[in-house]
Amino acid sequence: MALHATLTNSSLFGRDIKVVWAGRAQHCTALQEGRMGMQSVALACGALALCLALTTATNPGFVVRMTQAGLDYAHQQGISILEKELAQLRLPDISGETRVLHVGKVRYEFSRLRLRDFHLPHSRITPVSNMGLQVSISNAFAELDGDWRVKFLFIRDHGSFNLKVENIYMKIVLRLGSDTTGKPTISTSDCSARISKVRVLFSGKLGWLYNLFHSVIESKLRKSLERKVCDNVAKSVHNELQSYIRTLPVTARIDDKIGIDYSLVAPPRATAQSLDADLKGEFYSLGHRSPVPFSPLPLAFPSDHERMVYFGASSYFFNTAGIAYHKAGALVFEITEAMIPKESGLILDTSAFSAFIPQLEEMYPNMSMKFRLSTPTAPFLTIGPGGISFQPIVDAQAYAILPNSSLAPLFLLSLTGNVSAVINVRSGRIVGSLDVGRIRLSLKDSAVGHFQLRTMQSLMNILTSNALLPRLNARLDEGFPLPLLDRIQLSNILVRFHQNFLLLGADVRFQPRG
């Protein structure tokens, strides 16, 4: 049976709960004293919790997915760094005493323990649902040197030793989260190390003596190394890995007017085959940020695993760009004759336009003209399997430029047409270009009387395709940054369109410093 809950105003907490169970509706006021038994209270509270959970859920505007192939690549880079970190381990001195048969009490000391190398030949990383990532290491081995001293009865001696550690098994669980600013966090939630085999080789006159109680020494060295390995892993995760993943940009400044919010809306989510990061994915005005009047739709992310990483840019992501640029006044363009290529044949003055509007020559003889193009509302695009398309509305206000440089309004046209977009990725940025189909005109206002719009059709096509479109495409060619960690390069780009979002796939390459 299904349980549904809706909220209405009134009652305790300012809301009532309507519970629909097995097709029948019961209206109950939460915690209405004296009129609700414990069972009803529990049901009401459960419904309230369900409603609150549903209302507070936030769909991302942008999703980043790292596939198993991407995790494996990141794991290779991480293991290489971890090997170097472990090779620098410093073990504490070990001292104590033990009794040796036929010898008596022996005092010993191991000092200056130095790791020569640490190898992790076999390891794998797996995402663990509701937890994070698990790194499993097997058959690791290490070798270290040190000095020993011994004292028994009236005899003292010293020498050096070599320690070979084999069959090291480690399990590291990494917990992923986010902080209050929306940046990712990572920590070691569990670490265990087990060493199956330790061999100590002593040099010196009394090296044979150590061989009589080597099991005691090997046990202490094993425990010390197991503990220090996990301590070093936790330290490396905190100092190295945590610092690195925080290079993921929470905000990206586009220009002096607009930024992108890439903050996490929830902690990174591990599934059986991937690691997903849900980002806000919202353009905003740097001058004044205001709420977006609509919410992102859920993204039906495909189960593609051809690339190491995928980016899902929703229609919400792109449409907030239109809103932000519109509010910032950045979608206003002035076009003068100097901006029009000479080969187009279009002359922007009243003499040329008088062929279509005869009264222009009488009212404003032989004067230059200019157009101011603006969007009365923010452009709104749609994304589907066929690509990106939208039908923006543009107001084109024509002016005559008077001898004193002031402007005389002539007429106001409304332009609309089908616009398509081509999207690609270059140097870690989303780049694109627009193509405009045939433009449709309507006259909104005229200070020069009525005129036939059909005669203006070809002129406005030339104006938009030769003056406006190149300016827009030049800006789109600069691109918008993807949310990438520091020193990450993308290759083997894949671009696919799905319902309500654009899917970008890529392989990843990490560029070390130096």
Side-chain angles (χ1 to χ4, degrees):
M1 295 182 180
L3 173 67
H4 307 278
T6 58
L7 301 181
T8 60
N9 293 326
S10 77
S11 98
L12 194 62
F13 309 124
R15 293 182 176 180
D16 280 359
I17 304 168
K18 178 180 287 186
V19 180
V20 181
W21 185 28
R24 298 178 60 187
Q26 297 175 337
H27 186 270
C28 53
T29 303
L31 303 181
Q32 188 173 12
E33 186 176 355
R35 299 182 62 185
M36 187 179 282
M38 291 302 294
Q39 185 176 6
S40 298
V41 172
L43 180 61
C45 290
L48 176 62
L50 175 63
C51 291
L52 292 177
L54 291 174
T55 56
T56 56
T58 303
N59 289 323
F62 200 100
V63 174
V64 181
R65 168 170 291 178
M66 184 173 287
T67 64
Q68 185 64 55
L71 290 172
D72 289 341
Y73 179 79
H75 166 249
Q76 291 173 9
Q77 304 302 314
I79 286 295
S80 176
I81 294 172
L82 183 59
E83 278 186 333
K84 295 176 182 177
E85 291 285 328
L86 291 175
Q88 298 175 20
L89 269 179
R90 292 294 178 263
L91 297 179
D93 294 349
I94 297 174
S95 61
E97 60 182 33
T98 187
R99 287 192 171 274
V100 179
L101 188 63
H102 305 307
V103 174
K105 186 168 64 174
V106 177
R107 289 194 57 82
Y108 58 86
E109 178 184 342
F110 288 83
S111 61
R112 300 179 64 187
L113 306 179
R114 303 172 299 273
L115 267 167
R116 291 170 54 183
D117 50 40
F118 208 118
H119 297 284
L120 309 173
H122 304 291
S123 60
R124 66 188 305 265
I125 188 170
T126 53
V128 181
S129 299
N130 302 319
M131 184 176 297
L133 301 171
Q134 178 174 297
V135 180
S136 303
I137 298 171
S138 60
N139 296 325
F141 58 94
E143 188 171 355
L144 60 85
D145 296 328
D147 299 329
W148 60 264
R149 290 179 180 275
V150 68
K151 176 184 177 182
F152 73 99
L153 298 177
F154 302 105
I155 302 175
R156 298 172 183 266
D157 197 8
H158 63 86
S160 62
F161 73 92
N162 174 263
L163 176 69
K164 294 184 183 294
V165 184
E166 300 173 349
N167 297 341
I168 304 173
Y169 298 89
M170 298 170 59
K171 185 181 78 171
I172 306 164
V173 178
L174 302 174
R175 184 175 297 279
L176 304 170
S178 59
D179 63 14
T180 55
T181 68
K183 276 189 173 292
T185 61
I186 189 167
S187 60
T188 307
S189 64
D190 185 39
C191 177
S192 60
R194 180 171 57 87
I195 300 173
S196 298
K197 190 174 182 180
V198 175
R199 292 185 299 155
V200 185
L201 301 176
F202 299 99
S203 64
K205 295 178 180 179
L206 297 181
W208 60 269
L209 180 61
Y210 272 109
N211 292 325
L212 297 179
F213 60 95
H214 67 89
S215 59
V216 175
I217 303 303
E218 291 173 355
S219 177
K220 288 194 173 187
L221 288 170
R222 178 188 292 111
K223 290 178 181 178
S224 176
L225 188 56
E226 288 175 345
R227 183 172 60 254
K228 290 295 290 185
V229 162
C230 277
D231 288 346
N232 206 73
V233 166
K235 180 181 177 182
S236 181
V237 169
H238 178 75
N239 293 340
E240 303 292 335
L241 190 53
Q242 169 77 346
S243 298
Y244 179 66
I245 68 166
R246 290 181 69 82
T247 64
L248 183 74
V250 168
T251 57
R253 186 185 179 96
I254 305 303
D255 48 40
D256 59 346
K257 294 181 179 180
I258 303 299
I260 304 178
D261 187 341
Y262 278 134
S263 60
L264 286 162
V265 298
R269 184 177 67 259
T271 67
Q273 294 180 315
S274 64
L275 180 66
D276 291 355
D278 293 344
L279 312 182
K280 192 169 186 64
E282 181 179 304
F283 287 74
Y284 63 94
S285 171
L286 296 176
H288 176 68
R289 187 168 185 174
S290 56
V292 179
F294 50 87
S295 299
L297 297 172
L299 300 187
F301 227 81
S303 57
D304 290 7
H305 298 282
E306 299 175 12
R307 302 292 191 273
M308 294 181 181
V309 65
Y310 287 92
F311 304 92
S314 68
S315 55
Y316 173 89
F317 174 76
F318 292 105
N319 285 325
T320 59
I323 291 175
Y325 277 102
H326 180 259
K327 287 186 176 180
L331 299 183
V332 178
F333 305 91
E334 293 195 348
I335 298 177
T336 63
E337 186 171 343
M339 300 176 184
I340 302 174
K342 292 183 179 180
E343 57 269 21
S344 69
L346 178 61
I347 301 175
L348 206 56
D349 62 22
T350 54
S351 297
F353 273 74
S354 64
F356 312 101
I357 311 173
Q359 53 270 37
L360 264 183
E361 183 67 20
E362 299 175 7
M363 299 174 65
Y364 304 99
N366 199 29
M367 293 184 185
S368 297
M369 292 175 58
K370 70 183 297 184
F371 277 87
R372 176 174 293 146
L373 305 183
S374 61
T375 54
T377 59
F380 193 88
L381 59 79
T382 59
I383 303 177
I388 296 177
S389 63
F390 58 109
Q391 293 183 329
I393 298 174
V394 177
D395 284 347
Q397 175 67 61
Y399 295 97
I401 304 176
L402 302 180
N404 63 0
S405 298
S406 61
L407 302 178
L410 302 178
F411 53 85
L412 176 62
L413 299 176
S414 178
L415 315 180
T416 186
N418 294 323
V419 178
S420 59
V422 176
I423 301 293
N424 206 342
V425 174
R426 185 177 66 242
S427 300
R429 302 173 74 89
I430 301 177
V431 297
S433 62
L434 302 178
D435 186 39
V436 181
R438 183 175 178 83
I439 294 174
R440 299 183 295 276
L441 310 180
S442 63
L443 182 63
K444 296 182 71 174
D445 190 32
S446 176
V448 294
H450 183 73
F451 55 89
Q452 290 292 328
L453 289 179
R454 285 182 298 176
T455 59
M456 297 285 292
Q457 182 74 55
S458 59
L459 290 178
M460 297 313 298
N461 281 334
I462 294 173
L463 198 69
T464 54
S465 61
N466 287 275
L468 176 61
L469 206 57
R471 293 175 65 181
L472 292 173
N473 284 338
R475 176 62 191 89
L476 292 174
D477 191 60
E478 295 176 11
F480 307 105
L482 287 165
L484 295 176
L485 293 167
D486 191 24
R487 291 174 284 145
I488 289 295
Q489 293 184 344
L490 302 178
S491 62
N492 199 17
I493 305 298
L494 174 148
V495 179
R496 289 179 181 167
F497 296 97
H498 294 267
Q499 194 61 40
N500 296 321
F501 73 99
L502 165 70
L503 183 69
L504 303 171
D507 289 329
V508 172
R509 184 182 178 188
F510 175 72
Q511 288 287 343
R513 285 194 177 96

